[in-house]
Amino acid sequence: MRIQDLPYPDPGVPDARSGPRFLWWLGRNQLGGQLTAMAWGLLHFVSVSALPFCVGLAVQAVVERSDARLALSGGLMALCCAGSALGDTFLHRAAVTNWITAAARVQQLLARKAAHLGAALTRRVAAGEVVAVSTGDVEKIGWFVEAASRFTAAAVTLVLVCAGLLVYQPALGVVVALGLPVLALAVLPLLPRATRRADLQREKAGRATELASDTVAGLRVLRGIGGEELFLDRYRRASQEVRHAAVRSARMWSLISAIQVLLPGLLLIAVVWHGVHLARAGRITVGELVTVYSSVMVLSYPLRHFEEIAMAYSFSRPSATRAARVLSLERAMDTTGTRAADALGGDLYDPGTGLLAPAGRLTAVVCGDPDTAGRLAERLGGHPPEPGASVLLGGVPLDELPIDSARAAVLVQDKEPVLLSGSLRDLFDVPRSGQVGAEEALGAAQCGDVLEALAQASLGAEDPMDVRITERGRSLSGGQRQRLALARSLVTDPGVLVLDEPTSAVDSHTEARIAEGVRSLRAGRTTVVFTSSPLVLDLADRVVLVHDGAVTAVGTHRELLHSEPRYRAVVTRETDEERAGSAAGPDIPGDGGGAPRGDRGTPHDASRNGEDALRGVSRKDADVLRGVLRNDDGALRGALEEIEETA
């Protein structure tokens, strides 16, 4: 595989049973590149190792005053220098190619696994670990794959040189042949400790990365409750732990490097001492002594690759283990593709909860727990977080459809959709039916003011669709990002559209217009909305209450308000006192009223209602904070519990 041929048409099916097995699988799949690098490495190392023989031949020719042998030695030296330069050039080229292609293969495998798992990936593996695997770990894995061919070439060269010295000068060759294996294997007792320290360093670095990722994700919430300094101190401590672990690991590798310098020096002293005695006794010539001495000096170069391969394996093994752990993840119900995907349609039914979304109607689903709503939305999309009976679309199990067909038939927009950087035109460049235009989708999602704001911020764009948005839409407010994501989902016009809290970050007036727009645009198409907003629920054809993982009530919004206390408690946010008062017979407004909602993504509700500041933190923010509190801090965990009680 050449670099210009990347990406791979098919990166293959990895052996993800363990880190070493994954490294072995990568090496086997790059056998051609490994052999090429090893061949160029042999040319380079053998040419370098042959120079001492040429030098010894030249010295002996001068001693014997042989012009012919001196010219021959000069020609051989020129040939060795040319072979060394040629081999080094193409060895570097082949090694870098192996490094890049191995890293590219791993990245393709990770990208394919992420696309296969969808939103379930970050629920099963920490986001910080995914970031570490896809960045630094990929480079370390590529380093080992690339270093393996150079190490093999260096090891073969050592064997050839030892054999050559035994034939050329047996008396000194025996000393070298016995000393070189000791040099190569002397660091082996230190490798387990060095590996453990490297593993500890990588573990602490991954924890620090995970902590930083969670903290950044919940920064807005942390600022709202005054917890940013606490988490900053926590990250400082984690960073210092990484530094101390790195220093301890570096000390061990420094010791290994020192041994790699000390032992060749001792061998060189032994060779010179023994060789001088042999030369005085007349058993060897001066040229032979110079040859063996130079060979021992030159062999320190290929010996360095023993240290390199040890370091590469020690650092790449935990990286490969993490990559294998991610690549070994499977969907709870994997799609086998045993059924044709033609003419998908009909009712959407979840046998696990009993939820039924009739075809061509707008169904609203109310869940008291937002986590339950998120998991149920994933189930309806065909990628559930845990095993169970498959969701049926028109009586066809989604897990029997090809995964691409299942996702095209049922589109799920989660609570925190991602906007990639680029223009608005790029944002809407998604697979679509062609029945809904971008203007219609933007209008239904009430994005007019968003387009105006973007046009004013970008004076060079004549068409608002050419305005560029920053990565993840950071230049937009939460409500603007949410509306643009909703418009993107609407323009795809899927057979079944599942929306998880699509209006949680907008004000009530905009929310009402969005509900009307979605209902109008999706007329005749199956739409499922997870929400607790009375404005959206009142426009739904059918409202379903899910409690404790099962459907407990079905009807219209106004019917359920009068007949179902649990539904009324979720939608109107009744407290225990209010629920007790309502049992005495207060009149429930028929317009689906209740406590004013305002902008639930901001703390303004608290100031309007005179509540405590924590009441302004939405349940969505509590979910974010729960991820930030993964390391269990008592003070902020108490704040989280108070938020969940009041949100």
Side-chain angles (χ1 to χ4, degrees):
M1 169 64 71
R2 299 173 300 175
I3 295 178
Q4 57 263 38
D5 295 331
L6 294 174
Y8 287 93
D10 180 11
V13 180
D15 186 349
R17 288 176 290 178
S18 66
R21 287 177 181 270
F22 180 60
L23 291 174
W24 175 250
W25 178 84
L26 277 177
R28 285 192 293 107
N29 277 269
Q30 290 190 291
L31 188 59
Q34 295 289 336
L35 292 177
T36 300
M38 189 181 70
W40 290 115
L42 280 174
L43 176 61
H44 173 61
F45 290 131
V46 170
S47 298
V48 171
S49 301
L51 283 173
F53 291 92
C54 300
V55 173
L57 184 62
V59 171
Q60 192 63 32
V62 172
V63 172
E64 297 176 358
R65 299 180 182 278
S66 174
D67 295 338
R69 294 180 64 183
L70 183 61
L72 176 62
S73 62
L76 291 176
M77 289 180 66
L79 186 62
C80 289
C81 289
S84 175
L86 184 66
D88 189 28
T89 300
F90 284 94
L91 169 62
H92 179 73
R93 180 187 179 93
V96 171
T97 300
N98 288 338
W99 187 334
I100 294 177
T101 51
R105 186 188 295 273
V106 177
Q107 286 180 328
Q108 280 188 249
L109 290 171
L110 291 172
R112 185 174 67 179
K113 180 59 67 174
H116 186 67
L117 293 175
L121 175 62
T122 52
R123 261 186 283 275
R124 300 172 66 179
V125 180
E129 183 171 350
V130 176
V131 172
V133 171
S134 59
T135 53
D137 287 342
V138 167
E139 293 187 5
K140 290 178 174 59
I141 293 171
W143 177 27
F144 174 77
V145 173
E146 171 261 336
S149 56
R150 288 206 308 270
F151 164 73
T152 305
V156 173
T157 300
L158 289 178
V159 174
L160 293 177
V161 171
C162 288
L165 288 176
L166 286 173
V167 174
Y168 179 75
Q169 180 43 254
L172 287 177
V174 171
V175 177
V176 177
L178 293 177
L180 283 179
V182 175
L183 298 184
L185 303 177
V187 298
L188 286 182
L190 300 176
L191 287 181
R193 180 176 296 181
T195 301
R196 287 194 299 271
R197 292 189 178 186
D199 290 350
L200 180 62
Q201 177 192 351
R202 298 300 302 167
E203 178 184 347
K204 290 185 177 296
R207 180 179 176 275
T209 302
E210 178 181 338
L211 179 61
S213 176
D214 290 340
T215 303
V216 171
L219 187 60
R220 181 174 66 85
V221 186
L222 290 175
R223 286 176 176 170
I225 62 176
E228 47 194 332
E229 284 300 326
L230 177 63
F231 272 81
L232 183 59
D233 291 339
R234 175 177 290 175
Y235 181 75
R236 287 195 185 102
R237 292 195 299 270
S239 179
Q240 289 302 312
E241 290 178 2
V242 174
R243 184 178 68 84
H244 291 310
V247 170
R248 294 185 72 248
S249 178
R251 286 173 181 168
M252 183 57 64
W253 289 112
S254 298
L255 177 61
I256 292 175
S257 298
I259 292 175
Q260 290 287 341
V261 173
L262 175 64
L263 293 184
L266 295 177
L267 177 61
L268 192 62
I269 293 173
V271 168
V272 172
W273 181 82
H274 186 55
V276 168
H277 285 283
L278 292 177
R280 285 180 176 178
R283 296 175 58 185
I284 63 172
T285 64
V286 175
E288 291 173 337
L289 177 59
V290 171
T291 297
V292 177
Y293 170 80
S294 302
S295 296
V296 174
M297 288 192 65
V298 170
L299 285 178
S300 62
Y301 172 53
L303 275 173
R304 295 176 189 169
H305 292 82
F306 284 77
E307 177 190 355
E308 182 195 17
I309 195 64
M311 291 184 65
Y313 180 74
S314 297
F315 280 94
S316 65
R317 186 181 61 81
S319 297
T321 300
R322 278 193 294 271
R325 183 163 58 246
V326 174
L327 294 175
S328 63
L329 298 176
E330 295 294 342
R331 289 161 48 86
M333 292 186 299
D334 209 359
T335 52
T336 59
T338 57
R339 228 180 243 264
D342 299 334
L344 286 174
D347 297 342
L348 184 68
Y349 177 68
D350 176 25
T353 59
L355 173 62
L356 173 66
R361 301 179 67 184
L362 174 60
T363 302
V365 182
V366 176
C367 296
D369 182 9
D371 291 336
T372 301
R375 291 192 294 268
L376 182 52
E378 289 183 8
R379 280 187 54 80
L380 295 180
H383 29 91
E386 64 276 334
S390 174
V391 171
L392 306 177
L393 178 58
V396 178
L398 288 181
D399 63 353
E400 294 183 8
L401 297 172
I403 188 169
D404 294 340
S405 301
R407 288 181 173 174
V410 183
L411 175 64
V412 179
Q413 176 181 302
D414 59 17
K415 285 183 287 190
E416 297 182 6
V418 176
L419 301 182
L420 301 178
S421 60
S423 67
L424 285 179
R425 200 177 305 278
D426 296 333
L427 179 68
F428 289 97
D429 186 16
V430 292
R432 61 176 78 181
S433 66
Q435 302 298 318
V436 178
E439 294 77 9
E440 297 176 88
L442 288 167
Q446 300 300 310
C447 294
D449 61 319
V450 181
L451 297 180
E452 292 178 4
L454 290 174
Q456 291 175 0
S458 180
L459 300 178
E462 298 180 358
D463 187 347
M465 296 299 293
D466 294 327
V467 174
R468 298 189 64 81
I469 56 177
T470 58
E471 181 185 1
R472 291 182 175 268
R474 289 194 175 96
S475 60
L476 304 172
S477 68
Q480 290 173 332
R481 287 195 300 269
Q482 195 172 59
R483 282 179 280 167
L484 284 177
L486 176 59
R488 179 181 58 186
S489 299
L490 292 174
V491 81
T492 61
D493 192 33
V496 179
L497 177 61
V498 180
L499 303 172
D500 188 3
E501 291 288 352
T503 59
S504 60
V506 300
D507 60 81
S508 300
H509 298 290
T510 305
E511 185 176 43
R513 294 196 298 269
I514 290 175
E516 289 282 1
V518 171
R519 177 183 174 87
S520 176
L521 190 64
R522 294 287 300 172
R525 309 286 274 173
T526 307
T527 307
V528 181
V529 182
F530 287 84
T531 183
S532 59
S533 166
L535 297 172
V536 179
L537 294 169
D538 197 38
L539 293 175
D541 299 319
R542 194 168 186 263
V543 179
V544 179
L545 174 64
V546 177
H547 182 71
D548 288 339
V551 173
T552 58
V554 179
T556 65
H557 169 60
R558 304 191 184 204
E559 291 172 352
L560 294 179
L561 273 178
H562 287 279
S563 62
E564 183 56 54
R566 285 177 295 193
Y567 176 84
R568 185 168 57 250
V570 173
V571 173
T572 64
R573 294 172 174 80
E574 280 185 339
T575 64
D576 292 337
E577 293 80 4
E578 291 171 339
R579 193 174 303 121
S582 65
D587 185 23
I588 299 173
D591 59 353
R597 297 173 61 249
D599 186 352
R600 290 176 293 154
T602 66
H604 297 305
D605 290 347
S607 61
R608 282 201 302 268
N609 298 325
E611 301 288 346
D612 185 79
L614 286 176
R615 290 191 181 273
V617 182
S618 67
R619 186 171 289 274
K620 170 184 172 183
D621 292 336
D623 297 338
V624 174
L625 188 58
R626 183 182 292 105
V628 179
L629 289 170
R630 186 171 299 159
N631 296 292
D632 191 15
D633 181 83
L636 286 180
R637 185 165 297 280
L640 172 63
E641 293 174 354
E642 186 173 357
I643 289 170
E644 291 182 328
E645 291 175 359
T646 58

